PDB file of all heavy atoms in Angstrom:
ATOM      1  N   SER R1031     -39.799  69.131  55.904  1.00 57.00           N
ATOM      2  CA  SER R1031     -38.514  69.800  56.026  1.00 57.00           C
ATOM      3  C   SER R1031     -38.190  69.976  57.495  1.00 57.00           C
ATOM      4  O   SER R1031     -39.039  69.840  58.362  1.00 57.00           O
ATOM      5  CB  SER R1031     -38.534  71.150  55.318  1.00 57.00           C
ATOM      6  OG  SER R1031     -39.448  72.004  55.953  1.00 57.00           O
ATOM      7  N   LEU R1032     -36.949  70.284  57.751  1.00 87.00           N
ATOM      8  CA  LEU R1032     -36.513  70.502  59.115  1.00 87.00           C
ATOM      9  C   LEU R1032     -35.789  71.825  59.181  1.00 87.00           C
ATOM     10  O   LEU R1032     -34.949  72.136  58.341  1.00 87.00           O
ATOM     11  CB  LEU R1032     -35.575  69.387  59.563  1.00 87.00           C
ATOM     12  CG  LEU R1032     -35.019  69.539  60.969  1.00 87.00           C
ATOM     13  CD1 LEU R1032     -36.128  69.428  62.007  1.00 87.00           C
ATOM     14  CD2 LEU R1032     -33.972  68.496  61.225  1.00 87.00           C
ATOM     15  N   THR R1033     -36.131  72.612  60.170  1.00 91.00           N
ATOM     16  CA  THR R1033     -35.495  73.904  60.371  1.00 91.00           C
ATOM     17  C   THR R1033     -35.014  73.987  61.810  1.00 91.00           C
ATOM     18  O   THR R1033     -35.767  73.684  62.738  1.00 91.00           O
ATOM     19  CB  THR R1033     -36.495  75.052  60.099  1.00 91.00           C
ATOM     20  OG1 THR R1033     -36.963  74.939  58.759  1.00 91.00           O
ATOM     21  CG2 THR R1033     -35.835  76.394  60.293  1.00 91.00           C
ATOM     22  N   LEU R1034     -33.763  74.387  61.982  1.00 92.00           N
ATOM     23  CA  LEU R1034     -33.222  74.672  63.305  1.00 92.00           C
ATOM     24  C   LEU R1034     -33.015  76.169  63.395  1.00 92.00           C
ATOM     25  O   LEU R1034     -32.437  76.767  62.487  1.00 92.00           O
ATOM     26  CB  LEU R1034     -31.884  73.961  63.516  1.00 92.00           C
ATOM     27  CG  LEU R1034     -31.905  72.449  63.615  1.00 92.00           C
ATOM     28  CD1 LEU R1034     -30.479  71.908  63.672  1.00 92.00           C
ATOM     29  CD2 LEU R1034     -32.684  72.012  64.841  1.00 92.00           C
ATOM     30  N   VAL R1035     -33.498  76.781  64.480  1.00 92.00           N
ATOM     31  CA  VAL R1035     -33.375  78.224  64.674  1.00 92.00           C
ATOM     32  C   VAL R1035     -32.717  78.477  66.019  1.00 92.00           C
ATOM     33  O   VAL R1035     -33.106  77.881  67.025  1.00 92.00           O
ATOM     34  CB  VAL R1035     -34.760  78.910  64.635  1.00 92.00           C
ATOM     35  CG1 VAL R1035     -34.620  80.404  64.895  1.00 92.00           C
ATOM     36  CG2 VAL R1035     -35.453  78.660  63.313  1.00 92.00           C
ATOM     37  N   GLY R1036     -31.736  79.370  66.011  1.00 92.00           N
ATOM     38  CA  GLY R1036     -31.084  79.773  67.247  1.00 92.00           C
ATOM     39  C   GLY R1036     -31.151  81.272  67.404  1.00 92.00           C
ATOM     40  O   GLY R1036     -31.002  82.011  66.425  1.00 92.00           O
ATOM     41  N   ASN R1037     -31.411  81.726  68.619  1.00 91.00           N
ATOM     42  CA  ASN R1037     -31.478  83.154  68.911  1.00 91.00           C
ATOM     43  C   ASN R1037     -30.536  83.480  70.058  1.00 91.00           C
ATOM     44  O   ASN R1037     -30.489  82.749  71.043  1.00 91.00           O
ATOM     45  CB  ASN R1037     -32.901  83.563  69.306  1.00 91.00           C
ATOM     46  CG  ASN R1037     -33.879  83.333  68.191  1.00 91.00           C
ATOM     47  OD1 ASN R1037     -33.753  83.908  67.137  1.00 91.00           O
ATOM     48  ND2 ASN R1037     -34.845  82.466  68.427  1.00 91.00           N
ATOM     49  N   SER R1038     -29.825  84.577  69.909  1.00 90.00           N
ATOM     50  CA  SER R1038     -28.984  85.092  70.983  1.00 90.00           C
ATOM     51  C   SER R1038     -29.146  86.602  70.964  1.00 90.00           C
ATOM     52  O   SER R1038     -28.601  87.277  70.085  1.00 90.00           O
ATOM     53  CB  SER R1038     -27.523  84.701  70.770  1.00 90.00           C
ATOM     54  OG  SER R1038     -26.714  85.255  71.784  1.00 90.00           O
ATOM     55  N   GLY R1039     -29.942  87.121  71.889  1.00 90.00           N
ATOM     56  CA  GLY R1039     -30.276  88.537  71.833  1.00 90.00           C
ATOM     57  C   GLY R1039     -31.054  88.800  70.560  1.00 90.00           C
ATOM     58  O   GLY R1039     -32.032  88.116  70.267  1.00 90.00           O
ATOM     59  N   ASP R1040     -30.611  89.767  69.749  1.00 92.00           N
ATOM     60  CA  ASP R1040     -31.267  90.089  68.478  1.00 92.00           C
ATOM     61  C   ASP R1040     -30.785  89.227  67.315  1.00 92.00           C
ATOM     62  O   ASP R1040     -31.342  89.278  66.225  1.00 92.00           O
ATOM     63  CB  ASP R1040     -31.027  91.558  68.120  1.00 92.00           C
ATOM     64  CG  ASP R1040     -31.776  92.510  69.047  1.00 92.00           C
ATOM     65  OD1 ASP R1040     -32.767  92.076  69.662  1.00 92.00           O
ATOM     66  OD2 ASP R1040     -31.366  93.679  69.148  1.00 92.00           O
ATOM     67  N   ILE R1041     -29.732  88.447  67.521  1.00 93.00           N
ATOM     68  CA  ILE R1041     -29.160  87.629  66.449  1.00 93.00           C
ATOM     69  C   ILE R1041     -30.030  86.397  66.241  1.00 93.00           C
ATOM     70  O   ILE R1041     -30.374  85.698  67.190  1.00 93.00           O
ATOM     71  CB  ILE R1041     -27.720  87.210  66.781  1.00 93.00           C
ATOM     72  CG1 ILE R1041     -26.850  88.431  67.057  1.00 93.00           C
ATOM     73  CG2 ILE R1041     -27.132  86.367  65.653  1.00 93.00           C
ATOM     74  CD1 ILE R1041     -25.537  88.098  67.729  1.00 93.00           C
ATOM     75  N   ASN R1042     -30.378  86.108  64.977  1.00 95.00           N
ATOM     76  CA  ASN R1042     -31.199  84.957  64.632  1.00 95.00           C
ATOM     77  C   ASN R1042     -30.483  84.159  63.547  1.00 95.00           C
ATOM     78  O   ASN R1042     -30.190  84.694  62.483  1.00 95.00           O
ATOM     79  CB  ASN R1042     -32.567  85.436  64.136  1.00 95.00           C
ATOM     80  CG  ASN R1042     -33.455  84.303  63.729  1.00 95.00           C
ATOM     81  OD1 ASN R1042     -33.263  83.722  62.672  1.00 95.00           O
ATOM     82  ND2 ASN R1042     -34.436  83.993  64.549  1.00 95.00           N
ATOM     83  N   VAL R1043     -30.212  82.879  63.820  1.00 95.00           N
ATOM     84  CA  VAL R1043     -29.553  81.998  62.857  1.00 95.00           C
ATOM     85  C   VAL R1043     -30.507  80.854  62.533  1.00 95.00           C
ATOM     86  O   VAL R1043     -31.063  80.221  63.428  1.00 95.00           O
ATOM     87  CB  VAL R1043     -28.233  81.429  63.423  1.00 95.00           C
ATOM     88  CG1 VAL R1043     -27.574  80.491  62.418  1.00 95.00           C
ATOM     89  CG2 VAL R1043     -27.286  82.554  63.813  1.00 95.00           C
ATOM     90  N   THR R1044     -30.695  80.580  61.237  1.00 96.00           N
ATOM     91  CA  THR R1044     -31.598  79.520  60.796  1.00 96.00           C
ATOM     92  C   THR R1044     -30.882  78.579  59.841  1.00 96.00           C
ATOM     93  O   THR R1044     -30.203  79.024  58.911  1.00 96.00           O
ATOM     94  CB  THR R1044     -32.821  80.120  60.071  1.00 96.00           C
ATOM     95  OG1 THR R1044     -33.477  81.047  60.948  1.00 96.00           O
ATOM     96  CG2 THR R1044     -33.800  79.047  59.650  1.00 96.00           C
ATOM     97  N   LEU R1045     -31.036  77.283  60.078  1.00 96.00           N
ATOM     98  CA  LEU R1045     -30.571  76.252  59.156  1.00 96.00           C
ATOM     99  C   LEU R1045     -31.795  75.530  58.617  1.00 96.00           C
ATOM    100  O   LEU R1045     -32.633  75.068  59.388  1.00 96.00           O
ATOM    101  CB  LEU R1045     -29.672  75.237  59.856  1.00 96.00           C
ATOM    102  CG  LEU R1045     -28.280  75.686  60.242  1.00 96.00           C
ATOM    103  CD1 LEU R1045     -27.595  74.608  61.075  1.00 96.00           C
ATOM    104  CD2 LEU R1045     -27.454  75.999  59.005  1.00 96.00           C
TER     105      LEU R1045
END
Side-chain angles (χ1 to χ4, degrees):
S1031 65
L1032 178 66
T1033 301
L1034 292 174
V1035 178
N1037 298 299
S1038 177
D1040 290 338
I1041 304 165
N1042 179 285
V1043 179
T1044 303
L1045 287 173

